[in-house]
Amino acid sequence: MLTALLGATGVLALLTLVPGPDMAVVTRRAVTRGRGDGLRTVAGIAVGLLVWGALTVAGLAALLAASAEVYLVVKIAGAAYLCLLGIRSLLRPGAEPSGGGATGGGATGGGATGGAAATGGGATSGRATGGGGAWRTGLVANVLNPKIAVFYTGLLPALAPPGLRPAVGMALLVLVHVLLTALWLGTYVYVLSRARRFFARPRVRRGLDRATGVVLIGFGVRVATT
């Protein structure tokens, strides 16, 4: 069983390293708001994976993957959300993402140095509202990605270690995947935060926001069309 678990962990680790919408969302939050916001976004993504994992173990994710109508609704909603985040990055490059909006992925209007003044509450107010916005952004982006349901229902049963009940084996692999994702994205956030002084330069930040916006829209289109 241990050999099978190690093999499954290796497969999940390789799949975790593949860039996707989660990484684009984390990049946006970590660069614009720093390490704390980036890590809260990662926490939201981890909770989203746990939601999908619970649905998979309960058998509901398989129903979603098998229902063309429900799958389409979730897919379009997820694609629209990613595109919305991308469009906001393109329209307001260099602006701080909003912490108090419904989606948590908007912009407050200030640049790298002017966001606090624009909100009227200073840096403390931004931090007070930004955490929940970052967490929601990660959670919503992940939960509205139905491909995770297909990934979990299609792959986890095949990777589940023998000797365990299928539900227990899949639950164990979900926890492994969540841990790997948190470690990988958390490390990525740390690397970005070390270079934040470079990313805080107005020209670099605007360019990165535009690039991130294009990537998010690209992922949104990909989610909608595949």
Side-chain angles (χ1 to χ4, degrees):
M1 185 180 74
L2 180 59
T3 301
L5 179 59
L6 291 175
T9 301
V11 172
L12 292 174
L14 290 175
L15 294 174
T16 300
L17 295 176
V18 177
D22 289 344
M23 180 172 282
V25 172
V26 168
T27 301
R28 167 67 172 158
R29 298 296 306 202
V31 169
T32 56
R33 295 295 292 267
R35 185 187 305 176
D37 249 39
L39 292 177
R40 283 185 284 269
T41 305
V42 173
I45 291 169
V47 173
L49 290 175
L50 288 174
V51 170
W52 281 117
L55 292 175
T56 300
V57 173
L60 299 179
L63 295 177
L64 170 63
S67 173
E69 294 79 8
V70 177
Y71 182 87
L72 179 62
V73 170
V74 177
K75 181 172 74 170
I76 295 302
Y81 183 68
L82 291 174
C83 288
L84 175 63
L85 294 180
I87 290 171
R88 285 180 170 176
S89 292
L90 289 176
L91 294 180
R92 304 293 295 276
E96 296 278 354
S98 171
T103 62
T108 58
T113 60
T119 61
T124 303
S125 175
R127 292 189 188 99
T129 59
W135 187 86
R136 285 193 301 272
T137 298
L139 175 65
V140 174
N142 192 270
V143 169
L144 291 182
N145 184 1
K147 294 187 181 301
I148 299 176
V150 177
F151 166 64
Y152 275 1
T153 58
L155 185 62
L156 293 190
L159 294 177
L164 295 175
R165 291 191 295 113
V168 175
M170 288 192 294
L172 178 61
L173 292 182
V174 168
L175 292 177
V176 169
H177 185 227
V178 171
L179 179 61
L180 291 172
T181 300
L183 287 175
W184 165 238
L185 291 180
T187 302
Y188 177 63
V189 167
Y190 177 78
V191 172
L192 287 178
S193 69
R194 298 288 292 179
R196 196 185 177 201
R197 181 175 298 179
F198 169 76
F199 290 124
R201 298 175 183 175
R203 181 176 298 179
V204 173
R205 184 165 170 176
R206 287 193 297 269
L208 182 63
D209 275 354
R210 292 189 179 102
T212 304
V214 171
V215 170
L216 284 168
I217 292 173
F219 278 127
V221 172
R222 183 179 178 182
V223 168
T225 57
T226 59

